[in-house]
Amino acid sequence: QKEVEQNSGPLSVPEGAIASLNCTYSDRVSQSFFWYRQYSGKSPELIMSIYSNGDKEDGRFTAQLNKASQYVSLLIRDSQPSDSATYLCAVNPLIKAAGNKLTFGGGTRVLVKP
Amino acid sequence: DAGITQSPRHKVTETGTPVTLRCHQTENHRYMYWYRQDPGHGLRLIHYSYGVKDTDKGEVSDGYSVSRSKTEDFLLTLESATSSQTSVYFCATAGGTNEKLFFGSGTQLSVL
């Protein structure tokens, strides 16, 4: 069983709508969680990090963490065509420790249609 | 953008030949990583380094070796390339107290 699971998609959303992405993880000791965005043919870039249960908002992005249920989600509000990309969930058992050995999910491809 | 350069950007090689991929960083980051990315598998860690001459294996290290003789350079070697090693390889770095990973542009490797 893969340690970090994501629906591969594609998740198709109309422009202006909310895109909701989910990620589940198997390691209960995981402490820090990340969302990376990867455009086709490009390298991943960090867009969100979350360490505590609850919501964390940054602009149009909201990360939600529920450690008891072992899932983390990403909401993209007012989706734009420029949000079309693959979103990678990553998990690390260490909290804010350097030298992360992140475990990545397979990614969810998001398509925002004008 | 973080100063991470991967070379070559593309390479085609034959089964059984040795291949070395280079990652060069100008950020003076302590931590460096090699990941491979394949459809349906996301990014998988091959090897990582905590500092000069300090390396360890990741989850898919078989068939790969690494070396780090200088802070700025992290080399990934496929001793005898196989078709299963056809993939996109990403180098990443992280600073001392910042958990954020910075990725290079990737190397597309095809083993025929």
Side-chain angles (χ1 to χ4, degrees), chain A residues 36 38 43 51 98-101, chain B residues 31 33 37 48 96 99 101 104:
Chain A
Y36 283 79
Q38 186 176 24
S43 57
Y51 307 98
N100 288 345
K101 290 190 295 176
Chain B
Y31 304 94
Y33 312 82
Q37 187 171 37
Y48 57 99
E99 72 280 5
L101 290 186

Side-chain angles (χ1 to χ4, degrees), chain A residues 3-23:
Chain A
E3 295 181 23
V4 180
E5 296 272 6
Q6 296 181 255
N7 188 317
S8 61
L11 175 65
S12 183
V13 296
E15 183 175 357
I18 296 175
S20 178
L21 292 74
N22 294 316
C23 170

